[in-house]
Amino acid sequence: MEIAIIGGGSWGSALAVTIAKNGHNIKVWEFFQEQAEEMQQKRVCKLLPDTRLPGNIFVSHKIEEVLPGSELILLVVPSDKVESTLSKAKHLFSNQPVVVCSKGFGEGLQLLSESVQKHTPGNVYCLYGPTHAEEVCQGLFSGIVLAGKEGKERKQIQKALHSPAFKIEVSDDIIGVQVCAALKNILAVFVGVLDGKKLGDNSKAYVITKGLDEIKKVGLALGAKEETFYGLAGIGDVIVTATSKHSRNRHVGEQVGKGRKLDDVLAEMKMVAEGVIALKKAIGFKEKLGLHLPLTEGLYKILFDGKDVEEVLMSLD
């Protein structure tokens, strides 16, 4: 299969390396020209320094060299870059399916699948789960969820991506997996803050448990299915993102917990911390849907209003 990947960052590169092992021809579009040329010529991704790109992966800064002829497109750019990227690329789309791998929300309070569907005539799917790029690219065992309309096309995509070490489960709850994928990053930031403040494991267990319930509230209000929040895309992704050394969102929170300013932490990062972006969206959902989300509100006050972490925890109801 001819597969195009829009986004050559750590996750896009990890997916390219993993899927290439299945024998597919992979073309990757990377936004930064210098990085694209380095990846193509030296066969490395600087965000995954121990990984080499196999010969059946082609990388280019020119999107017109990547999309034409593709049978499947994986979208792996930061959530706040989805609209601008697709606006430039949509004239190159045909009827091939698009799999959204970006985690976050679209413009306003849209789901990313809704934003993407405006730009493509093909079907839209989502691929989310507890899968750090640093481990997937090494071939370490992982499981992930492909969500979208059931049918022959979804089975074909599942077969193309699946391998013994990269198991692809399927779901028709495209709303639920997106809500989980976006909002679990908020919990990771909060847990990082607790670690930075050295507030112990009990507080983290509280935040993860109560935070998952808040994620579920948002999802159910938008039409998600409850079982999604207890599967790989739900609690599975929460666990790995909130507890792993690889989690950039947890890292951001930890640095803030140690007393650093949020803007300084974000400015030095090479990759995007989606949790900070998603937090602002979550407040929007709270207001629009009339939900009670004390943890979400509390983290917002910590990050943007300078509220004391322990004071926020003590005031939770």
Side-chain angles (χ1 to χ4, degrees):
M1 181 180 281
E2 301 288 331
I3 299 177
I5 297 180
I6 303 178
S10 59
W11 186 221
S13 296
L15 284 169
V17 170
T18 301
I19 300 168
K21 294 176 183 176
N22 292 346
H24 305 296
N25 292 320
I26 313 294
K27 291 184 178 181
V28 179
W29 175 76
E30 163 54 39
F31 178 80
F32 296 103
Q33 183 175 353
E34 183 178 345
Q35 185 168 321
E37 292 174 351
E38 180 181 57
M39 292 171 71
Q40 177 61 18
Q41 295 167 11
K42 297 183 179 180
R43 315 307 297 166
V44 295
C45 172
K46 64 182 180 181
L47 299 175
L48 302 170
D50 298 326
T51 302
R52 290 198 60 80
L53 305 180
N56 53 335
I57 295 177
F58 169 78
V59 185
S60 176
H61 170 66
K62 299 177 180 178
I63 203 161
E64 62 270 17
E65 293 182 346
V66 171
L67 290 182
S70 61
E71 301 169 80
L72 174 65
I73 296 173
L74 272 58
L75 181 64
V76 206
V77 297
S79 62
D80 61 341
K81 298 295 188 293
V82 166
E83 286 281 357
S84 59
T85 301
L86 293 184
S87 293
K88 297 175 183 177
K90 63 182 180 180
H91 67 286
L92 298 170
F93 286 16
S94 53
N95 287 314
Q96 70 271 68
V98 178
V99 179
V100 182
C101 307
S102 310
K103 295 183 176 182
F105 295 104
E107 291 185 352
L109 295 178
Q110 281 191 320
L111 296 173
L112 283 178
S113 62
E114 296 171 339
S115 298
V116 173
Q117 193 67 77
K118 294 186 301 183
H119 297 283
T120 177
N123 291 322
V124 175
Y125 301 85
C126 291
L127 186 68
Y128 297 131
T131 45
H132 279 308
E134 295 85 351
E135 296 184 5
V136 170
C137 68
Q138 295 176 36
L140 298 179
F141 179 83
S142 305
I144 198 166
V145 179
L146 174 68
K149 184 179 179 181
E150 182 180 4
K152 181 180 179 181
E153 186 176 68
R154 192 180 73 178
K155 289 180 180 178
Q156 291 174 333
I157 299 171
Q158 180 187 22
K159 182 179 179 181
L161 305 182
H162 181 92
S163 67
F166 191 62
K167 292 193 177 295
I168 311 293
E169 294 188 358
V170 292
S171 169
D172 59 0
D173 186 11
I174 198 168
I175 296 174
V177 298
Q178 289 181 88
V179 172
C180 290
L183 299 187
K184 55 91 181 181
N185 287 320
I186 296 175
L187 291 189
V189 175
F190 208 144
V191 168
V193 171
L194 299 177
D195 276 338
K197 291 285 287 186
K198 300 186 182 303
L199 291 177
D201 294 335
N202 295 346
S203 63
K204 289 188 287 185
Y206 184 95
V207 165
I208 289 173
T209 304
K210 299 295 184 178
L212 180 62
D213 188 57
E214 292 191 8
I215 292 173
K216 186 174 72 172
K217 283 182 181 178
V218 175
L220 294 180
L222 293 175
K225 298 181 178 180
E226 185 168 3
E227 59 265 28
T228 300
F229 301 92
Y230 303 110
L232 280 177
I235 186 63
D237 213 355
V238 167
I239 290 170
V240 82
T241 309
T243 64
S244 173
K245 62 183 180 181
H246 298 306
S247 172
R248 70 194 75 161
N249 290 284
R250 184 195 161 281
H251 168 77
V252 168
E254 185 175 27
Q255 294 303 304
V256 171
K258 290 180 177 179
R260 297 186 63 196
K261 295 197 176 296
L262 177 63
D263 288 344
D264 294 339
V265 177
L266 296 178
E268 71 181 18
M269 294 183 67
K270 296 179 181 178
M271 296 180 280
V272 176
E274 292 280 9
V276 177
I277 300 171
L279 179 57
K280 296 177 181 179
K281 300 279 189 176
I283 295 298
F285 279 116
K286 170 195 170 296
E287 295 170 351
K288 178 181 178 180
L289 302 172
L291 299 174
H292 182 53
L293 307 176
L295 272 175
T296 303
E297 283 187 274
L299 181 60
Y300 188 94
K301 292 175 181 177
I302 292 168
L303 294 187
F304 299 109
D305 298 335
K307 195 84 169 180
D308 179 73
V309 180
E310 291 181 83
E311 186 178 341
V312 167
L313 289 176
M314 299 298 181
S315 66
L316 292 173
D317 54 12

